[in-house]
Amino acid sequence: MTAIVVLFEVEQDEALGPDGVEPVVCAVHAAGGDPDVPEDPLPRTLCGLDTDPMEHSHYRPTRPGEPWYPPALADRRCLACEAALRAAP
């Protein structure tokens, strides 16, 4: 897999409010990037969830060896997505 898109699964019915309060991130998932529009995710995460209700994190590791997820959200990373990434050739 050449590119992944990191997505946030947020609490339902929460959106960026007018006061700028961020929604609560429940989980961080990974999806393959669309071959035609690499910034867009494929329809399913690597663990099989629908990507439509998720928010794009716009996170990218800046150097080799950094995690695929934002380090501050390590406790919320999807372990199934992580396993799929490790298994990818």
Side-chain angles (χ1 to χ4, degrees):
M1 181 175 305
T2 57
I4 65 161
V5 177
V6 179
L7 301 168
F8 292 153
E9 181 180 352
V10 298
E11 283 190 15
Q12 293 293 45
D13 301 325
E14 284 201 28
L16 187 62
D19 56 354
V21 175
E22 295 285 330
V24 175
V25 175
C26 299
V28 181
H29 294 277
D34 184 317
D36 296 325
V37 186
E39 276 294 310
D40 288 348
L42 291 173
R44 297 264 176 220
T45 63
L46 299 181
C47 67
L49 297 177
D50 183 4
T51 59
D52 278 342
M54 296 187 187
E55 293 190 16
H56 197 305
S57 73
H58 300 286
Y59 171 79
R60 289 197 185 274
T62 56
R63 59 184 179 266
E66 286 191 337
W68 63 268
Y69 51 85
L73 297 172
D75 62 332
R76 294 189 191 117
R77 74 188 185 279
C78 174
L79 298 179
C81 284
E82 187 165 81
L85 281 168
R86 289 178 192 241

